[in-house]
Amino acid sequence: MKKYLIDVYIVDDHQMVCEGLSELINNSGKAHVSRTFNTLEACRKALQERRPDVLLLDLSMPDGDGVTFCQQIVSQYPKVRVVAVTIHDEYSMIQRMMECGAHGYVLKSSSVDELTEAIVSVWQKQQYVSPQVEAILQKGKTNNVVLTDVEKNILSLICNGMTNPEIAVHMHLSTETVNWYRKRLLAKFGVRNTVSLVRLAVEQKLI
C-alpha cells in the first residue's frame, strides 16, 4: 500500500472521540494525527505556530460555532483542508458549512474507510462529501422543518422563554440533553441564535 504523509489535526470536544479517530486514522497507513484539541481556542493557538494538511472539525464545540471557525481557518490558512466530521445531517447545516469553504463533510456514522477517503481526497485538492451527505444535498432544502415530538415540546418551551435548566426540570431531562436538543434545533433551522429560532418557529407556525 502506498504511504501518504498527510498530517492531520482533530478538533472535537470529546476526548474519547479524538483518541478513537486518531487510532483508526493512524492505522490506515495513509495519514497520521499529530495533534488533537477539545476546544476551538486551543486549535486556533496551535495553528499560529504550525498548520496541518487536513483539519477534522466537529461543529458542536463548547467555545464557539464550528461553521464560523471553518470560515476563519479557510480565510487565514488557505492551504489547510477542512473536513467537517459531525452528527449534523441537516441540509441547512451542510449547506452553511460548504458555503463557508469546507473541503469535505462526513457524518460520524460513516465508516473509517470513508473518513480516510475524505482525508486523502481533500489533501489531493478535491472536495469530498460522503454518499449520505450527497443524498441530503440532492434532496434539497424543504420549506418545512420536520421535528420529533420531543423537539416540538422543547421548541415550544424555548419560545415561552424558559431556560435550559427550567426545560430540563419540566421535561424530566438532564440539562446537558436539553442543551443538545437546543443546538440541534438551531442546526435544523439553520440559525445561530434563539431569537432567530423563535422567529422562524412563529413564521412556520410550529408553535
Side-chain angles (χ1 to χ4, degrees):
M1 180 184 292
K2 183 179 179 179
K3 298 293 184 180
Y4 293 88
L5 298 177
I6 307 175
D7 184 33
V8 178
Y9 281 4
I10 297 177
V11 186
D12 194 294
D13 60 333
H14 293 95
Q15 185 59 30
M16 187 178 296
V17 172
C18 288
E19 293 175 358
L21 288 181
S22 295
E23 182 177 0
L24 292 172
I25 292 169
N26 292 342
N27 289 338
S28 72
K30 297 182 179 181
H32 176 75
V33 178
S34 58
R35 297 195 66 178
T36 65
F37 308 92
N38 299 130
T39 66
L40 298 178
E41 184 58 27
C43 181
R44 186 177 286 110
K45 290 180 179 178
L47 288 171
Q48 294 175 357
E49 301 176 359
R50 179 176 173 275
R51 268 75 66 190
D53 297 312
V54 178
L55 178 70
L56 303 184
L57 175 63
D58 187 15
L59 303 185
S60 298
M61 297 298 292
D63 61 335
D65 177 10
V67 178
T68 301
F69 183 76
C70 171
Q71 188 174 31
Q72 294 170 347
I73 297 308
V74 170
S75 176
Q76 289 181 278
Y77 309 111
K79 292 184 178 181
V80 177
R81 312 294 285 180
V82 180
V83 178
V85 181
T86 177
I87 63 171
H88 290 291
D89 59 358
E90 305 86 5
Y91 174 88
S92 58
M93 178 62 82
I94 299 171
Q95 191 71 8
R96 281 181 59 204
M97 193 64 177
M98 303 311 288
E99 288 176 352
C100 283
H103 305 96
Y105 201 107
V106 178
L107 299 179
K108 285 187 175 179
S109 57
S110 302
S111 67
V112 63
D113 289 339
E114 200 168 292
L115 178 58
T116 303
E117 182 181 353
I119 293 172
V120 174
S121 294
V122 299
W123 178 66
Q124 293 175 336
K125 303 299 186 288
Q126 301 171 21
Q127 191 174 67
Y128 183 92
V129 294
S130 64
Q132 188 176 353
V133 172
E134 180 63 29
I136 296 170
L137 290 173
Q138 289 297 325
K139 185 176 180 181
K141 185 175 183 179
T142 59
N143 291 327
N144 297 318
V145 176
V146 178
L147 302 176
T148 65
D149 289 340
V150 174
E151 288 171 340
K152 289 178 182 177
N153 290 336
I154 291 179
L155 177 59
S156 177
L157 297 175
I158 289 174
C159 291
N160 286 333
M162 294 180 67
T163 65
N164 284 2
E166 289 172 340
I167 295 173
V169 172
H170 184 82
M171 296 192 63
H172 306 290
L173 299 171
S174 69
T175 302
E176 290 76 13
T177 297
V178 174
N179 185 52
W180 183 86
Y181 272 112
R182 184 185 286 264
K183 288 181 179 179
R184 186 167 178 82
L185 285 168
L186 291 173
K188 279 194 171 186
F189 281 88
V191 296
R192 298 184 181 183
N193 55 59
T194 301
V195 173
S196 298
L197 174 64
V198 172
R199 177 177 55 79
L200 285 180
V202 172
E203 288 178 357
Q204 296 187 19
K205 300 180 179 178
L206 294 173
I207 57 170

